[in-house]
Amino acid sequence: MLRLATFMIVDCGGGTVDLTTRNIVGKDVGEITERSGDYCGSSFVDQAFLEHLKTILGHFAIDKLKENHYKQLQYMVQKFCRQAKFLFTGEDRNFKYELDILDTARELQQYVTGDAKELMESKQWLININYNEIKSMFDLVVKRILKLIEVQLENCNKECSIMFLVGGFSQSIYLQKKIREKFKDVVKIITLPTHPIASVVRGATLYGLGLYDNVNNIDSDVRLKLTTRILKFTYGIKIFDKWKKSDPIERKTPKGEIIKFLPIEGATKGKEVKIDEDVIVDNLLGPNNPFQTAATFHVYYTREANAKYCDEPGMEYLGKLKINLPDVHLGYNRPLKFGLSFGRMEIKATARYTINGQSRLTTFEIDIEDD
């Protein structure tokens, strides 16, 4: 089947910028690289604006305005956005923004003291912010966004035909310009939808409709279906193994065992997995003692590549799944199978007792994938 253009979605929001790279085969949408993101949305330009004001008026003044007159602070930031942030293109070096404190945040003047107060009184409480100062508010944020995109392109071997800029911050002409300047030779088409904010909502709606179709077994002829995902974590289970001399002595249990993290080979960080397809633990699993009547699988996940233990830094607990173990007379000879499947909005864990086919299933939320 023909593989169509690989595309990247750069969702530039207020708090975060999130990236995902996918390709389309027929009506199936596959994920090529891990989703990535950073706290470098448009609100960080707003924060840089406030930090600039602190250098002029003092930290105390801005902090007290925020504490006691938050609506005035919001109005001041919103006015900066309308008259400076949204209009700044980086082209006009004469571009500037004049902030009238008395008109915008009158209560602010009572918190300004000392030399700053004398200066502002001499300027009739007007602050002129020039081109370079506004540019500096953007540049640290834009630099982080460019780095995000650069790493994402490297992870997909720079095989990206189209880049879609969506979300509110993508409307910034300056941000668009910087992205095009840096990646025009790598990505053939860098485009902005007519309504970039609505595009996010529309995408979420189509995604939700796709989930509805999947749950209700509806075969849509129109909608694209997400068929693969790239894992952001390595998943595994807690196991009890026999302690060896090469193992850390402090991890030896009174029973001569050691508790380890067993990664699931097909569910490691960066791995592409098919939606809803089981990824099974290859290792032979079974009871820890011959009289055991139930087994509990404890599932963990981590970003670390060579994790060994369930209590090491970066390890997170996902949940557990319990299954009955009959046939006690068979002792240790009661093999178990365990696997995970990654859905569109959830992770399913399945345990199966291979002798009689008994199985248990539980579902975990997938919120961790959006961290």
Side-chain angles (χ1 to χ4, degrees):
M1 189 176 291
L2 179 64
R3 172 173 167 168
L4 301 182
T6 298
F7 63 94
M8 179 186 296
I9 299 172
V10 182
D11 183 0
C12 306
T16 64
V17 173
D18 300 289
L19 278 63
T20 184
T21 308
R22 302 182 184 277
N23 60 32
I24 303 174
V25 180
K27 292 181 181 179
D28 295 336
V29 180
E31 195 170 31
I32 297 177
T33 62
E34 289 182 41
R35 285 168 285 171
S36 61
D38 194 6
Y39 292 97
C40 49
S42 64
S43 63
F44 289 88
V45 178
D46 304 342
Q47 186 59 41
F49 165 65
L50 293 177
E51 291 299 322
H52 179 73
L53 293 184
K54 288 179 181 180
T55 64
I56 300 171
L57 305 173
H59 285 68
F60 175 81
I62 299 299
D63 290 342
K64 294 302 287 185
L65 182 69
K66 182 178 181 180
E67 180 183 340
N68 299 325
H69 309 280
Y70 187 66
K71 287 186 177 179
Q72 285 194 22
L73 180 82
Q74 281 186 310
Y75 178 69
M76 183 171 67
V77 171
Q78 289 167 1
K79 195 168 184 179
F80 163 76
C81 292
R82 290 195 304 271
Q83 298 182 3
K85 186 173 78 171
F86 296 155
L87 301 180
F88 184 72
T89 66
E91 300 285 348
D92 181 8
R93 299 190 68 85
N94 294 317
F95 186 90
K96 63 181 180 179
Y97 172 63
E98 183 179 78
L99 172 63
D100 186 336
I101 297 295
L102 299 182
D103 178 60
T104 307
R106 178 173 290 273
E107 299 297 334
L108 180 57
Q109 61 180 326
Q110 65 181 297
Y111 302 120
V112 181
T113 59
D115 293 341
K117 183 176 182 179
E118 290 183 15
L119 176 65
M120 293 312 302
E121 287 176 340
S122 69
K123 294 188 174 184
Q124 298 181 315
W125 294 94
L126 295 175
I127 298 177
N128 284 298
I129 305 176
N130 63 35
Y131 169 90
N132 287 327
E133 290 167 334
I134 295 174
K135 183 175 179 294
S136 68
M137 296 174 193
F138 274 88
D139 281 346
L140 281 177
V141 180
V142 171
K143 184 178 180 181
R144 290 174 67 175
I145 295 173
L146 296 179
K147 187 63 179 178
L148 262 181
I149 297 173
E150 182 180 9
V151 171
Q152 189 79 341
L153 285 171
E154 287 176 359
N155 288 338
C156 64
N157 299 317
K158 298 186 178 180
E159 293 180 0
C160 181
S161 303
I162 307 173
M163 183 186 298
F164 294 102
L165 307 180
V166 301
F169 194 24
S170 69
Q171 296 176 92
S172 165
I173 302 298
Y174 184 66
L175 175 60
Q176 294 173 30
K177 174 188 170 185
K178 288 298 181 181
I179 291 175
R180 288 192 170 102
E181 282 179 357
K182 186 169 181 65
F183 302 110
K184 63 183 179 182
D185 295 328
V186 180
V187 182
K188 294 178 182 178
I189 301 172
I190 299 175
T191 186
L192 182 77
T194 306
H195 304 289
I197 300 177
S199 296
V200 178
V201 178
R202 176 175 170 79
T205 302
L206 290 173
Y207 186 70
L209 289 171
L211 289 176
Y212 177 84
D213 289 351
N214 184 64
V215 170
N216 292 279
N217 296 315
I218 299 173
D219 187 14
S220 172
D221 292 330
V222 179
R223 299 173 193 133
L224 297 172
K225 294 181 291 184
L226 182 64
T227 57
T228 64
R229 296 179 54 209
I230 301 294
L231 300 182
K232 292 180 69 174
F233 302 93
T234 291
Y235 296 84
I237 56 175
K238 179 171 72 175
I239 63 166
F240 291 82
D241 202 1
K242 186 177 180 180
W243 184 86
K244 303 179 183 66
K245 289 184 178 180
S246 57
D247 293 324
I249 185 64
E250 65 273 13
R251 289 190 174 273
K252 185 177 181 180
T253 70
K255 294 182 178 181
E257 297 175 325
I258 184 170
I259 301 172
K260 290 184 176 181
F261 171 71
L262 175 65
I264 301 173
E265 186 174 339
T268 53
K269 185 176 184 290
K271 198 89 169 181
E272 181 179 20
V273 296
K274 292 183 178 180
I275 296 295
D276 295 327
E277 183 173 278
D278 287 334
V279 182
I280 306 297
V281 176
D282 290 333
N283 299 58
L284 183 64
L285 303 173
N288 293 325
N289 70 71
F291 306 107
Q292 201 169 324
T293 58
T296 301
F297 292 93
H298 295 272
V299 187
Y300 291 80
Y301 63 95
T302 179
R303 293 183 187 272
E304 301 302 319
N306 300 305
K308 293 182 178 180
Y309 307 107
C310 297
D311 59 352
E312 62 185 61
M315 188 69 68
E316 298 288 344
Y317 185 62
L318 182 61
K320 64 182 179 180
L321 175 61
K322 186 176 182 179
I323 186 170
N324 291 329
L325 275 177
D327 306 317
V328 176
H329 64 282
L330 296 177
Y332 289 109
N333 190 27
R334 291 176 288 167
L336 293 164
K337 285 286 187 181
F338 179 84
L340 296 176
S341 65
F342 298 85
R344 292 173 175 82
M345 296 294 289
E346 76 288 326
I347 299 172
K348 294 179 181 178
T350 305
R352 187 166 66 89
Y353 179 44
T354 60
I355 289 180
N356 65 9
Q358 172 202 173
S359 64
R360 291 289 182 272
L361 181 146
T362 191
T363 301
F364 306 116
E365 294 298 323
I366 209 167
D367 294 347
I368 55 172
E369 287 295 302
D370 298 325
D371 287 351

